Amino acid sequence: MTVPLTLLGLLARGQPTHGYDLKRDYDSHFANGKPLPYGQVYSTLGRLARDGKVVGGEAEPGDGPDRKRYAITDLGRSEVMGWLSQTVEPEPHLQTVLFSKVVLALMLGEDAAGYLDAQRAAHLRRMRELTEIKRTGQTVDALLADYGLFHLEADLRWIELTSARLTALAQVVSDDQKQLGERQ
Amino acid sequence: MSEFILEARDVHRAFGQTQALRGASVAVRRGEILSIMGPSGSGKSTLLHCLAGIYTPNQGEVWFDGTRVDTLGETKRTELRRDAFGFVFQFGQLVPELTALDNVALPLLLAKQPRRQAYAQAAPWLERLGLEEHGDHRSGELSGGQAQRVALARALVHKPRVLFADEPTGALDTLTGETVMNLLVTAAREEGTTVVLVTHDVRVAAYADREVVVRDGRAVTTPSSAVA
Ligand SMILES: Nc1ncnc2c1ncn2[C@@H]1O[C@H](COP(=O)(O)OP(=O)(O)OP(=O)(O)O)[C@@H](O)[C@H]1O
Ligand SMILES: [Mg+2]
């Protein structure tokens, strides 16, 4: 999960910070439409404190949970820096939902082509939303939207190609099924 | 008044032995930006040419704003294309010896507008598309992206009802293509122009309100468009 690391990264900017301000900064830069619940901010900070990656300061007068400022420790800082220097596994997404659904649909004699058409439409709908954000938003929004757009585009190219190969794929799946049947 | 400004109904079109369209139907709403997608050779361009009255179908009907287009005589269809439609293709097809401004003014001059008036109407379009500094450059000297913007200005200068665009960003890199699409969409929205956009690029199609997929000469309306 990137939430703890992102919060650590926000603290690595230097100033000890209230949970509330961390949440606000997180939401404005990283939430991407999904604001971080307060509960998660405090539970995450709690775990980071337990693991020695942040320290909570003295409780300040007043009420509510938000009376502490949190500061990053050396351990926390080296964890963030280590994370930033690692590349993300360039894993193929093929094994996931799309592929399973197509193959299962073929196995079960369901409408795989119809599924792919519907999925294309859903992908395009999302691309349209992101394109509109790009057209009307700030550069930062455009960068995020672009990331999503390129990934959706990759999925869509796979969807196109799979649509075109569906007959061949159906043959393979049905041959496999037959072999299985013979063995049983 | 129909909700649709432009319609192809069960259109068939062959080139010799090749059946390019085999019963394609598509209806375009007023002010809508519609993308036509589909694999290479599926009949996208042929469908666009039929909708625009450039090709006549062998069978089926084409309607524009209450007028049946496919049965019009050649002269009437030429007039219709000149007055009501604008076109952008993959390669700008500008006249290379003329300046950018000349190219934009050309459709107006061909429609017999007085010279002064034609140029007065053309000049703001260059500015609108960020080309004010290139007005007196010969269009053969422009970059691909600049040339496409000139082509867009030329297609829109006479305020067409429908803009037909066939792979308008096909020869451009991603960023330049986006600039052109942004300008195209912005101008079309401002002018209320209906757009028929042929593309195989999903990122370009995502600028449209809705998509139609052509496969084996037939147009498939996808579920999202049924919802829209
Ligand atoms: N003027 C023509 N003469 C002969 N055949 C043609 C002509 N125009 C199109 N065709 C054929 O009709 C079919 C559909 O062509 P069309 O140009 O409409 O496809 P497309 O979907 O636009 O393809 P692409 O994405 O490659 O531009 C193809 O088999 C093509 O070879
Ligand atoms: Mg084509």
Side-chain angles (χ1 to χ4, degrees):
Chain A
M1 267 304 290
T2 57
V3 172
L5 284 158
T6 307
L7 290 183
L8 270 182
L10 286 172
L11 285 171
R13 291 175 303 177
Q15 295 296 320
T17 311
H18 284 118
Y20 171 83
D21 293 322
L22 277 178
K23 174 194 155 46
R24 193 201 50 208
D25 288 352
Y26 182 95
D27 286 351
S28 68
H29 291 99
F30 302 104
N32 209 1
K34 276 206 283 183
L36 201 54
Y38 275 109
Q40 194 180 346
V41 177
Y42 292 108
S43 62
T44 304
L45 286 170
R47 250 173 287 131
L48 290 170
R50 182 199 63 201
D51 297 343
K53 294 168 190 164
V54 303
V55 284
E58 288 297 300
E60 295 159 19
D63 28 61
D66 208 22
R67 287 184 295 145
K68 273 187 197 171
R69 288 172 200 265
Y70 291 85
I72 193 165
T73 63
D74 286 345
L75 179 63
R77 187 178 298 276
S78 78
E79 171 141 331
V80 179
M81 296 313 155
W83 181 55
L84 289 183
S85 64
Q86 275 163 25
T87 57
V88 175
E89 188 71 23
E91 57 184 333
H93 295 260
L94 270 192
Q95 306 286 2
T96 59
V97 201
L98 294 182
F99 175 78
S100 310
K101 283 195 181 186
V102 171
V103 174
L104 264 177
L106 289 174
M107 280 179 179
L108 302 173
E110 296 290 314
D111 182 11
Y115 165 68
L116 286 171
D117 278 347
Q119 191 61 57
R120 173 194 305 99
H123 266 61
L124 258 168
R125 202 151 52 223
R126 181 72 188 126
M127 287 186 76
R128 217 170 267 140
E129 290 165 10
L130 291 170
T131 302
E132 193 54 26
I133 290 174
K134 250 175 64 149
R135 249 170 51 71
T136 51
Q138 307 287 315
T139 310
V140 178
D141 300 328
L143 281 180
L144 271 177
D146 263 331
Y147 191 82
L149 281 167
F150 280 119
H151 278 79
L152 289 165
E153 182 188 7
D155 281 354
L156 270 167
R157 292 170 91 161
W158 181 84
I159 287 170
E160 279 312 324
L161 214 63
T162 307
S163 294
R165 287 175 175 160
L166 214 46
T167 315
L169 189 60
Q171 191 60 50
V172 172
V173 169
S174 104
D175 288 352
D176 286 356
Q177 296 272 89
K178 258 184 236 140
Q179 275 184 10
L180 264 175
E182 281 159 16
R183 251 184 278 150
Q184 276 167 3
Chain B
M1 192 166 76
S2 159
E3 167 190 9
F4 301 112
I5 189 172
L6 192 63
E7 264 189 272
R9 298 184 189 155
D10 194 32
V11 166
H12 295 246
R13 170 75 205 216
F15 299 98
Q17 294 300 306
T18 310
Q19 271 294 333
L21 293 178
R22 335 163 165 249
S25 298
V26 45
V28 193
R29 296 191 181 90
R30 288 167 201 283
E32 177 176 49
I33 302 182
L34 177 80
S35 69
I36 299 181
M37 307 181 64
S40 184
S42 58
K44 302 182 294 294
S45 296
T46 307
L47 179 56
L48 178 135
H49 284 76
C50 285
L51 282 168
I54 298 172
Y55 292 159
T56 46
N58 303 121
Q59 191 188 317
E61 301 175 4
V62 176
W63 290 79
F64 166 70
D65 206 22
T67 305
R68 184 157 171 193
V69 175
D70 57 289
T71 48
L72 285 180
E74 184 55 46
T75 321
K76 285 269 178 229
R77 272 193 292 132
T78 307
E79 268 173 31
L80 180 71
R81 288 199 300 266
R82 192 192 61 204
D83 299 338
F85 298 162
F87 296 90
V88 186
F89 297 103
Q90 179 167 358
F91 299 100
Q93 296 174 340
L94 303 172
V95 184
E97 299 79 25
L98 297 183
T99 68
L101 183 60
D102 292 335
N103 269 284
V104 178
L106 202 54
L108 303 173
L109 296 171
L110 292 176
K112 306 269 187 298
Q113 270 203 28
R115 229 184 133 69
R116 181 188 279 271
Q117 196 186 321
Y119 277 85
Q121 193 171 328
W125 274 99
L126 287 180
E127 200 170 322
R128 225 163 137 175
L129 299 187
L131 291 160
E132 55 275 26
E133 286 166 23
H134 303 284
D136 53 4
H137 291 194
R138 290 190 333 142
S139 67
E141 293 160 3
L142 298 172
S143 75
Q146 289 161 352
Q148 271 317 61
R149 283 186 276 159
V150 174
L152 187 56
R154 187 187 55 181
L156 292 172
V157 72
H158 61 299
K159 301 203 175 289
R161 308 277 307 280
V162 183
L163 174 68
F164 292 94
D166 194 347
E167 304 282 5
T169 63
L172 307 178
D173 65 54
T174 307
L175 203 58
T176 313
E178 278 182 7
T179 309
V180 168
M181 280 313 298
N182 269 321
L183 290 166
L184 188 156
V185 168
T186 304
R189 295 259 187 259
E190 281 168 9
E191 302 283 322
T193 315
T194 304
V195 180
V196 178
L197 167 70
V198 165
T199 181
H200 65 268
D201 181 341
V202 288
R203 286 172 62 89
V204 172
Y207 282 87
D209 300 314
R210 186 167 72 98
E211 77 276 3
V212 155
V213 180
V214 178
R215 237 185 250 120
D216 298 327
R218 288 191 196 88
V220 186
T221 300
T222 56
S224 79
S225 16
V227 173

PDB file of all heavy atoms in Angstrom, chain A residues 155-181:
ATOM      1  N   ASP A 155      -5.027  -1.441 -22.382  1.00  0.00           N
ATOM      2  CA  ASP A 155      -6.108  -2.431 -22.221  1.00  0.00           C
ATOM      3  C   ASP A 155      -6.956  -2.511 -23.483  1.00  0.00           C
ATOM      4  O   ASP A 155      -7.308  -3.592 -23.941  1.00  0.00           O
ATOM      5  CB  ASP A 155      -7.033  -2.030 -21.065  1.00  0.00           C
ATOM      6  CG  ASP A 155      -6.437  -2.372 -19.707  1.00  0.00           C
ATOM      7  OD1 ASP A 155      -5.371  -3.016 -19.667  1.00  0.00           O
ATOM      8  OD2 ASP A 155      -7.049  -1.994 -18.689  1.00  0.00           O
ATOM      9  N   LEU A 156      -7.281  -1.355 -24.017  1.00  0.00           N
ATOM     10  CA  LEU A 156      -8.158  -1.311 -25.189  1.00  0.00           C
ATOM     11  C   LEU A 156      -7.519  -1.983 -26.403  1.00  0.00           C
ATOM     12  O   LEU A 156      -8.191  -2.646 -27.180  1.00  0.00           O
ATOM     13  CB  LEU A 156      -8.525   0.129 -25.522  1.00  0.00           C
ATOM     14  CG  LEU A 156      -9.793   0.599 -24.822  1.00  0.00           C
ATOM     15  CD1 LEU A 156      -9.932   2.101 -24.918  1.00  0.00           C
ATOM     16  CD2 LEU A 156     -11.019  -0.069 -25.447  1.00  0.00           C
ATOM     17  N   ARG A 157      -6.220  -1.795 -26.537  1.00  0.00           N
ATOM     18  CA  ARG A 157      -5.539  -2.448 -27.664  1.00  0.00           C
ATOM     19  C   ARG A 157      -5.604  -3.950 -27.487  1.00  0.00           C
ATOM     20  O   ARG A 157      -5.786  -4.696 -28.453  1.00  0.00           O
ATOM     21  CB  ARG A 157      -4.096  -1.961 -27.750  1.00  0.00           C
ATOM     22  CG  ARG A 157      -4.032  -0.508 -28.152  1.00  0.00           C
ATOM     23  CD  ARG A 157      -2.660   0.036 -28.011  1.00  0.00           C
ATOM     24  NE  ARG A 157      -1.923  -0.114 -29.254  1.00  0.00           N
ATOM     25  CZ  ARG A 157      -0.836   0.588 -29.521  1.00  0.00           C
ATOM     26  NH1 ARG A 157      -0.384   1.457 -28.642  1.00  0.00           N
ATOM     27  NH2 ARG A 157      -0.205   0.423 -30.649  1.00  0.00           N
ATOM     28  N   TRP A 158      -5.454  -4.383 -26.263  1.00  0.00           N
ATOM     29  CA  TRP A 158      -5.569  -5.820 -25.982  1.00  0.00           C
ATOM     30  C   TRP A 158      -6.990  -6.291 -26.272  1.00  0.00           C
ATOM     31  O   TRP A 158      -7.202  -7.357 -26.852  1.00  0.00           O
ATOM     32  CB  TRP A 158      -5.186  -6.091 -24.525  1.00  0.00           C
ATOM     33  CG  TRP A 158      -5.251  -7.530 -24.177  1.00  0.00           C
ATOM     34  CD1 TRP A 158      -4.294  -8.484 -24.382  1.00  0.00           C
ATOM     35  CD2 TRP A 158      -6.360  -8.201 -23.559  1.00  0.00           C
ATOM     36  NE1 TRP A 158      -4.745  -9.697 -23.940  1.00  0.00           N
ATOM     37  CE2 TRP A 158      -5.997  -9.561 -23.431  1.00  0.00           C
ATOM     38  CE3 TRP A 158      -7.618  -7.792 -23.112  1.00  0.00           C
ATOM     39  CZ2 TRP A 158      -6.852 -10.506 -22.875  1.00  0.00           C
ATOM     40  CZ3 TRP A 158      -8.471  -8.727 -22.561  1.00  0.00           C
ATOM     41  CH2 TRP A 158      -8.085 -10.074 -22.439  1.00  0.00           C
ATOM     42  N   ILE A 159      -7.965  -5.488 -25.883  1.00  0.00           N
ATOM     43  CA  ILE A 159      -9.370  -5.849 -26.130  1.00  0.00           C
ATOM     44  C   ILE A 159      -9.631  -5.973 -27.635  1.00  0.00           C
ATOM     45  O   ILE A 159     -10.254  -6.937 -28.092  1.00  0.00           O
ATOM     46  CB  ILE A 159     -10.306  -4.797 -25.493  1.00  0.00           C
ATOM     47  CG1 ILE A 159     -10.314  -4.951 -23.963  1.00  0.00           C
ATOM     48  CG2 ILE A 159     -11.734  -4.920 -26.048  1.00  0.00           C
ATOM     49  CD1 ILE A 159     -11.004  -3.821 -23.222  1.00  0.00           C
ATOM     50  N   GLU A 160      -9.109  -5.014 -28.418  1.00  0.00           N
ATOM     51  CA  GLU A 160      -9.269  -5.056 -29.875  1.00  0.00           C
ATOM     52  C   GLU A 160      -8.691  -6.339 -30.458  1.00  0.00           C
ATOM     53  O   GLU A 160      -9.329  -7.039 -31.235  1.00  0.00           O
ATOM     54  CB  GLU A 160      -8.544  -3.878 -30.530  1.00  0.00           C
ATOM     55  CG  GLU A 160      -9.295  -2.572 -30.523  1.00  0.00           C
ATOM     56  CD  GLU A 160     -10.727  -2.687 -30.993  1.00  0.00           C
ATOM     57  OE1 GLU A 160     -11.008  -3.484 -31.913  1.00  0.00           O
ATOM     58  OE2 GLU A 160     -11.586  -1.999 -30.421  1.00  0.00           O
ATOM     59  N   LEU A 161      -7.452  -6.600 -30.059  1.00  0.00           N
ATOM     60  CA  LEU A 161      -6.753  -7.758 -30.613  1.00  0.00           C
ATOM     61  C   LEU A 161      -7.455  -9.050 -30.202  1.00  0.00           C
ATOM     62  O   LEU A 161      -7.595  -9.977 -31.004  1.00  0.00           O
ATOM     63  CB  LEU A 161      -5.313  -7.744 -30.098  1.00  0.00           C
ATOM     64  CG  LEU A 161      -4.294  -8.281 -31.081  1.00  0.00           C
ATOM     65  CD1 LEU A 161      -4.270  -7.403 -32.319  1.00  0.00           C
ATOM     66  CD2 LEU A 161      -2.912  -8.307 -30.436  1.00  0.00           C
ATOM     67  N   THR A 162      -7.894  -9.105 -28.956  1.00  0.00           N
ATOM     68  CA  THR A 162      -8.582 -10.303 -28.480  1.00  0.00           C
ATOM     69  C   THR A 162      -9.901 -10.488 -29.229  1.00  0.00           C
ATOM     70  O   THR A 162     -10.256 -11.608 -29.600  1.00  0.00           O
ATOM     71  CB  THR A 162      -8.821 -10.217 -26.963  1.00  0.00           C
ATOM     72  OG1 THR A 162      -7.575  -9.942 -26.329  1.00  0.00           O
ATOM     73  CG2 THR A 162      -9.386 -11.508 -26.413  1.00  0.00           C
ATOM     74  N   SER A 163     -10.620  -9.387 -29.458  1.00  0.00           N
ATOM     75  CA  SER A 163     -11.854  -9.465 -30.253  1.00  0.00           C
ATOM     76  C   SER A 163     -11.555 -10.090 -31.602  1.00  0.00           C
ATOM     77  O   SER A 163     -12.277 -10.966 -32.076  1.00  0.00           O
ATOM     78  CB  SER A 163     -12.445  -8.073 -30.504  1.00  0.00           C
ATOM     79  OG  SER A 163     -12.880  -7.502 -29.313  1.00  0.00           O
ATOM     80  N   ALA A 164     -10.455  -9.629 -32.220  1.00  0.00           N
ATOM     81  CA  ALA A 164     -10.117 -10.111 -33.554  1.00  0.00           C
ATOM     82  C   ALA A 164      -9.692 -11.580 -33.527  1.00  0.00           C
ATOM     83  O   ALA A 164      -9.814 -12.278 -34.528  1.00  0.00           O
ATOM     84  CB  ALA A 164      -9.005  -9.255 -34.152  1.00  0.00           C
ATOM     85  N   ARG A 165      -9.202 -12.038 -32.385  1.00  0.00           N
ATOM     86  CA  ARG A 165      -8.704 -13.416 -32.304  1.00  0.00           C
ATOM     87  C   ARG A 165      -9.671 -14.355 -31.613  1.00  0.00           C
ATOM     88  O   ARG A 165      -9.316 -15.489 -31.290  1.00  0.00           O
ATOM     89  CB  ARG A 165      -7.405 -13.434 -31.493  1.00  0.00           C
ATOM     90  CG  ARG A 165      -6.235 -12.878 -32.213  1.00  0.00           C
ATOM     91  CD  ARG A 165      -5.069 -12.851 -31.259  1.00  0.00           C
ATOM     92  NE  ARG A 165      -3.851 -12.430 -31.907  1.00  0.00           N
ATOM     93  CZ  ARG A 165      -2.814 -11.956 -31.246  1.00  0.00           C
ATOM     94  NH1 ARG A 165      -2.867 -11.845 -29.931  1.00  0.00           N
ATOM     95  NH2 ARG A 165      -1.737 -11.594 -31.893  1.00  0.00           N
ATOM     96  N   LEU A 166     -10.865 -13.884 -31.371  1.00  0.00           N
ATOM     97  CA  LEU A 166     -11.790 -14.632 -30.523  1.00  0.00           C
ATOM     98  C   LEU A 166     -12.117 -16.015 -31.079  1.00  0.00           C
ATOM     99  O   LEU A 166     -12.196 -16.990 -30.333  1.00  0.00           O
ATOM    100  CB  LEU A 166     -13.072 -13.816 -30.325  1.00  0.00           C
ATOM    101  CG  LEU A 166     -13.763 -13.937 -28.979  1.00  0.00           C
ATOM    102  CD1 LEU A 166     -12.784 -13.831 -27.830  1.00  0.00           C
ATOM    103  CD2 LEU A 166     -14.830 -12.860 -28.848  1.00  0.00           C
ATOM    104  N   THR A 167     -12.262 -16.098 -32.406  1.00  0.00           N
ATOM    105  CA  THR A 167     -12.601 -17.391 -33.003  1.00  0.00           C
ATOM    106  C   THR A 167     -11.493 -18.409 -32.735  1.00  0.00           C
ATOM    107  O   THR A 167     -11.759 -19.542 -32.320  1.00  0.00           O
ATOM    108  CB  THR A 167     -12.803 -17.231 -34.528  1.00  0.00           C
ATOM    109  OG1 THR A 167     -13.593 -16.060 -34.753  1.00  0.00           O
ATOM    110  CG2 THR A 167     -13.496 -18.435 -35.108  1.00  0.00           C
ATOM    111  N   ALA A 168     -10.242 -17.971 -32.954  1.00  0.00           N
ATOM    112  CA  ALA A 168      -9.111 -18.863 -32.704  1.00  0.00           C
ATOM    113  C   ALA A 168      -9.031 -19.242 -31.231  1.00  0.00           C
ATOM    114  O   ALA A 168      -8.796 -20.403 -30.880  1.00  0.00           O
ATOM    115  CB  ALA A 168      -7.818 -18.189 -33.152  1.00  0.00           C
ATOM    116  N   LEU A 169      -9.274 -18.246 -30.376  1.00  0.00           N
ATOM    117  CA  LEU A 169      -9.197 -18.493 -28.933  1.00  0.00           C
ATOM    118  C   LEU A 169     -10.287 -19.479 -28.497  1.00  0.00           C
ATOM    119  O   LEU A 169     -10.046 -20.388 -27.702  1.00  0.00           O
ATOM    120  CB  LEU A 169      -9.346 -17.155 -28.191  1.00  0.00           C
ATOM    121  CG  LEU A 169      -9.083 -17.148 -26.694  1.00  0.00           C
ATOM    122  CD1 LEU A 169      -7.665 -17.592 -26.391  1.00  0.00           C
ATOM    123  CD2 LEU A 169      -9.311 -15.743 -26.134  1.00  0.00           C
ATOM    124  N   ALA A 170     -11.471 -19.315 -29.047  1.00  0.00           N
ATOM    125  CA  ALA A 170     -12.580 -20.206 -28.714  1.00  0.00           C
ATOM    126  C   ALA A 170     -12.220 -21.651 -29.088  1.00  0.00           C
ATOM    127  O   ALA A 170     -12.511 -22.595 -28.350  1.00  0.00           O
ATOM    128  CB  ALA A 170     -13.850 -19.774 -29.444  1.00  0.00           C
ATOM    129  N   GLN A 171     -11.546 -21.794 -30.233  1.00  0.00           N
ATOM    130  CA  GLN A 171     -11.127 -23.123 -30.688  1.00  0.00           C
ATOM    131  C   GLN A 171     -10.182 -23.759 -29.672  1.00  0.00           C
ATOM    132  O   GLN A 171     -10.364 -24.910 -29.266  1.00  0.00           O
ATOM    133  CB  GLN A 171     -10.439 -22.983 -32.055  1.00  0.00           C
ATOM    134  CG  GLN A 171     -10.190 -24.294 -32.761  1.00  0.00           C
ATOM    135  CD  GLN A 171     -11.507 -25.041 -33.014  1.00  0.00           C
ATOM    136  OE1 GLN A 171     -12.451 -24.455 -33.537  1.00  0.00           O
ATOM    137  NE2 GLN A 171     -11.579 -26.301 -32.603  1.00  0.00           N
ATOM    138  N   VAL A 172      -9.185 -22.982 -29.241  1.00  0.00           N
ATOM    139  CA  VAL A 172      -8.212 -23.491 -28.271  1.00  0.00           C
ATOM    140  C   VAL A 172      -8.904 -23.904 -26.983  1.00  0.00           C
ATOM    141  O   VAL A 172      -8.671 -24.988 -26.448  1.00  0.00           O
ATOM    142  CB  VAL A 172      -7.142 -22.405 -27.967  1.00  0.00           C
ATOM    143  CG1 VAL A 172      -6.256 -22.843 -26.821  1.00  0.00           C
ATOM    144  CG2 VAL A 172      -6.329 -22.100 -29.204  1.00  0.00           C
ATOM    145  N   VAL A 173      -9.797 -23.030 -26.503  1.00  0.00           N
ATOM    146  CA  VAL A 173     -10.473 -23.320 -25.240  1.00  0.00           C
ATOM    147  C   VAL A 173     -11.322 -24.588 -25.376  1.00  0.00           C
ATOM    148  O   VAL A 173     -11.328 -25.448 -24.501  1.00  0.00           O
ATOM    149  CB  VAL A 173     -11.346 -22.123 -24.795  1.00  0.00           C
ATOM    150  CG1 VAL A 173     -12.250 -22.502 -23.643  1.00  0.00           C
ATOM    151  CG2 VAL A 173     -10.455 -20.957 -24.405  1.00  0.00           C
ATOM    152  N   SER A 174     -12.007 -24.723 -26.513  1.00  0.00           N
ATOM    153  CA  SER A 174     -12.896 -25.880 -26.646  1.00  0.00           C
ATOM    154  C   SER A 174     -12.072 -27.164 -26.825  1.00  0.00           C
ATOM    155  O   SER A 174     -12.441 -28.219 -26.315  1.00  0.00           O
ATOM    156  CB  SER A 174     -13.898 -25.663 -27.788  1.00  0.00           C
ATOM    157  OG  SER A 174     -13.546 -26.407 -28.915  1.00  0.00           O
ATOM    158  N   ASP A 175     -10.908 -27.085 -27.513  1.00  0.00           N
ATOM    159  CA  ASP A 175     -10.020 -28.248 -27.607  1.00  0.00           C
ATOM    160  C   ASP A 175      -9.548 -28.683 -26.220  1.00  0.00           C
ATOM    161  O   ASP A 175      -9.551 -29.865 -25.891  1.00  0.00           O
ATOM    162  CB  ASP A 175      -8.800 -27.926 -28.484  1.00  0.00           C
ATOM    163  CG  ASP A 175      -9.179 -27.836 -29.959  1.00  0.00           C
ATOM    164  OD1 ASP A 175     -10.341 -28.167 -30.279  1.00  0.00           O
ATOM    165  OD2 ASP A 175      -8.333 -27.412 -30.769  1.00  0.00           O
ATOM    166  N   ASP A 176      -9.148 -27.686 -25.419  1.00  0.00           N
ATOM    167  CA  ASP A 176      -8.705 -27.990 -24.056  1.00  0.00           C
ATOM    168  C   ASP A 176      -9.803 -28.675 -23.257  1.00  0.00           C
ATOM    169  O   ASP A 176      -9.564 -29.637 -22.541  1.00  0.00           O
ATOM    170  CB  ASP A 176      -8.318 -26.692 -23.324  1.00  0.00           C
ATOM    171  CG  ASP A 176      -6.995 -26.148 -23.833  1.00  0.00           C
ATOM    172  OD1 ASP A 176      -6.381 -26.822 -24.687  1.00  0.00           O
ATOM    173  OD2 ASP A 176      -6.599 -25.060 -23.386  1.00  0.00           O
ATOM    174  N   GLN A 177     -11.016 -28.147 -23.399  1.00  0.00           N
ATOM    175  CA  GLN A 177     -12.150 -28.712 -22.666  1.00  0.00           C
ATOM    176  C   GLN A 177     -12.354 -30.175 -23.062  1.00  0.00           C
ATOM    177  O   GLN A 177     -12.581 -31.031 -22.223  1.00  0.00           O
ATOM    178  CB  GLN A 177     -13.431 -27.921 -22.991  1.00  0.00           C
ATOM    179  CG  GLN A 177     -13.381 -26.494 -22.551  1.00  0.00           C
ATOM    180  CD  GLN A 177     -13.862 -26.326 -21.123  1.00  0.00           C
ATOM    181  OE1 GLN A 177     -13.065 -26.410 -20.192  1.00  0.00           O
ATOM    182  NE2 GLN A 177     -15.148 -26.120 -20.945  1.00  0.00           N
ATOM    183  N   LYS A 178     -12.249 -30.415 -24.386  1.00  0.00           N
ATOM    184  CA  LYS A 178     -12.449 -31.781 -24.890  1.00  0.00           C
ATOM    185  C   LYS A 178     -11.412 -32.728 -24.291  1.00  0.00           C
ATOM    186  O   LYS A 178     -11.735 -33.800 -23.813  1.00  0.00           O
ATOM    187  CB  LYS A 178     -12.360 -31.798 -26.425  1.00  0.00           C
ATOM    188  CG  LYS A 178     -13.727 -31.865 -27.075  1.00  0.00           C
ATOM    189  CD  LYS A 178     -13.608 -31.983 -28.582  1.00  0.00           C
ATOM    190  CE  LYS A 178     -14.360 -30.862 -29.275  1.00  0.00           C
ATOM    191  NZ  LYS A 178     -13.659 -30.315 -30.426  1.00  0.00           N
ATOM    192  N   GLN A 179     -10.156 -32.278 -24.331  1.00  0.00           N
ATOM    193  CA  GLN A 179      -9.081 -33.104 -23.773  1.00  0.00           C
ATOM    194  C   GLN A 179      -9.346 -33.431 -22.323  1.00  0.00           C
ATOM    195  O   GLN A 179      -9.191 -34.558 -21.887  1.00  0.00           O
ATOM    196  CB  GLN A 179      -7.748 -32.370 -23.887  1.00  0.00           C
ATOM    197  CG  GLN A 179      -7.094 -32.575 -25.237  1.00  0.00           C
ATOM    198  CD  GLN A 179      -5.721 -31.925 -25.286  1.00  0.00           C
ATOM    199  OE1 GLN A 179      -5.210 -31.497 -24.256  1.00  0.00           O
ATOM    200  NE2 GLN A 179      -5.167 -31.859 -26.468  1.00  0.00           N
ATOM    201  N   LEU A 180      -9.791 -32.409 -21.585  1.00  0.00           N
ATOM    202  CA  LEU A 180     -10.122 -32.616 -20.178  1.00  0.00           C
ATOM    203  C   LEU A 180     -11.204 -33.672 -20.043  1.00  0.00           C
ATOM    204  O   LEU A 180     -11.113 -34.582 -19.224  1.00  0.00           O
ATOM    205  CB  LEU A 180     -10.616 -31.306 -19.549  1.00  0.00           C
ATOM    206  CG  LEU A 180      -9.584 -30.478 -18.809  1.00  0.00           C
ATOM    207  CD1 LEU A 180     -10.201 -29.169 -18.349  1.00  0.00           C
ATOM    208  CD2 LEU A 180      -9.040 -31.254 -17.613  1.00  0.00           C
ATOM    209  N   GLY A 181     -12.231 -33.542 -20.878  1.00  0.00           N
ATOM    210  CA  GLY A 181     -13.352 -34.475 -20.844  1.00  0.00           C
ATOM    211  C   GLY A 181     -12.892 -35.900 -21.104  1.00  0.00           C
ATOM    212  O   GLY A 181     -13.298 -36.835 -20.416  1.00  0.00           O
TER     213      GLY A 181
END
